[in-house]
Amino acid sequence: NAGVTQTPKFRILKIGQSMTLQCTQDMNHNYMYWYRQDPGMGLKLIYYSVGAGITDKGEVPNGYNVSRSTTEDFPLRLELAAPSQTSVYFCASWATYEQYFGPGTRLTVT
Amino acid sequence: AQKITQTQPGMFVQEKEAVTLDCTYDTSDPSYGLFWYKQPSSGEMIFLIYQGSYDQQNATEGRYSLNFQKARKSANLVISASQLGDSAMYFCAMREGLGALIFGKGTTLSVSS
């Protein structure tokens, strides 16, 4: 099991550019999540999904979009990147009582 | 609204000593779960320990134990016999509906020799 994988690990974007952060899990988990972590802070929920075709907003969804066409994949789309989206992005999936986190994507918008 | 509070921005401890990291929570849901995660400087989130709201006993995992005081709404992490490798940021989190976690702001633990 690879667990939760994320690509890329690092990315620098210019203001106004768009990109997709990829997330894949091989544990057949229905529940998946995207969080962001700003410097010195805890994680905040951006979007989540309870299964293929079902997504919903979390605490900080503005500027992001998600899709869930398969159980395994849960990509996060940034449209028109802004400096406020500079952060570390974590994808996670849920089973029983533990969330499994991916290694994170460090994004800088300049 | 559900909330997690970690009031200690930084804690310092010497090797082999025990340390307690504080966490208080607020929720009106009778069913909830409390978690502690470790985040070393490399950035990954490492699951340490879990306590369910209906669990009768405090959770333990090796050198980690969770001091769960339901009436006081506290879920402190106790690390026994600290090691240099324990130096990291520690996050307390609570599970809300649909499995998403609400995180505190974290406590930085520094272990010295």
Side-chain angles (χ1 to χ4, degrees):
Chain A
N1 270 0
V4 180
T5 57
Q6 292 182 238
T7 56
K9 286 191 168 65
F10 303 94
R11 183 74 186 267
I12 299 174
L13 277 183
K14 293 189 185 305
I15 294 170
Q17 288 184 324
S18 301
M19 76 165 293
T20 299
L21 281 65
Q22 301 291 345
C23 175
T24 300
Q25 53 95 6
D26 62 359
M27 298 171 282
N28 203 34
H29 293 165
N30 284 322
Y31 290 15
M32 295 187 73
Y33 312 87
W34 274 106
Y35 296 90
R36 61 176 284 173
Q37 183 182 26
D38 297 330
M41 302 293 287
L43 282 66
K44 292 187 177 180
L45 183 67
I46 306 172
Y47 269 95
Y48 65 94
S49 170
V50 301
I54 306 170
T55 63
D56 207 347
K57 296 177 182 178
E59 182 184 356
V60 289
N62 290 347
Y64 307 95
N65 276 302
V66 294
S67 59
R68 185 95 182 272
S69 56
T70 67
T71 299
E72 295 77 21
D73 299 309
F74 189 39
L76 177 72
R77 178 84 177 160
L78 278 74
E79 305 281 1
L80 299 174
S84 61
Q85 293 178 304
T86 293
S87 192
V88 179
Y89 292 83
F90 289 96
C91 179
S93 68
W94 172 263
T96 315
Y97 60 82
E98 182 179 346
Q99 282 210 4
Y100 296 83
F101 283 86
T105 294
R106 187 174 294 274
L107 176 68
T108 302
V109 182
T110 61
Chain B
Q2 293 176 315
K3 188 178 175 182
I4 292 281
T5 303
Q6 294 180 255
T7 56
Q8 306 156 314
M11 290 287 285
F12 297 87
V13 68
Q14 289 208 311
E15 263 187 307
K16 300 179 187 175
E17 291 183 349
V19 63
T20 297
L21 306 183
D22 294 342
C23 173
T24 58
Y25 61 92
D26 190 20
T27 181
S28 56
D29 191 337
S31 176
Y32 52 89
L34 296 157
F35 302 74
W36 279 92
Y37 282 85
K38 173 183 178 181
Q39 187 177 43
S41 57
S42 52
E44 70 267 34
M45 296 293 288
I46 301 170
F47 167 74
L48 295 178
I49 197 166
Y50 166 81
Q51 179 86 41
S53 59
Y54 295 119
D55 293 343
Q56 295 296 314
Q57 294 190 322
N58 287 345
T60 60
E61 290 285 350
R63 294 185 299 110
Y64 304 107
S65 59
L66 199 152
N67 184 0
F68 181 46
Q69 297 188 40
K70 198 169 183 177
R72 295 181 60 190
K73 295 190 174 180
S74 74
N76 298 339
L77 177 71
V78 181
I79 305 174
S80 63
S82 297
Q83 302 171 355
L84 293 178
D86 294 334
S87 293
M89 179 77 91
Y90 289 81
F91 290 100
C92 180
M94 178 166 59
R95 183 195 70 224
E96 61 172 355
L98 298 174
L101 296 179
I102 299 170
F103 285 82
K105 291 185 177 180
T107 296
T108 301
L109 177 65
S110 299
V111 182
S112 59
S113 57

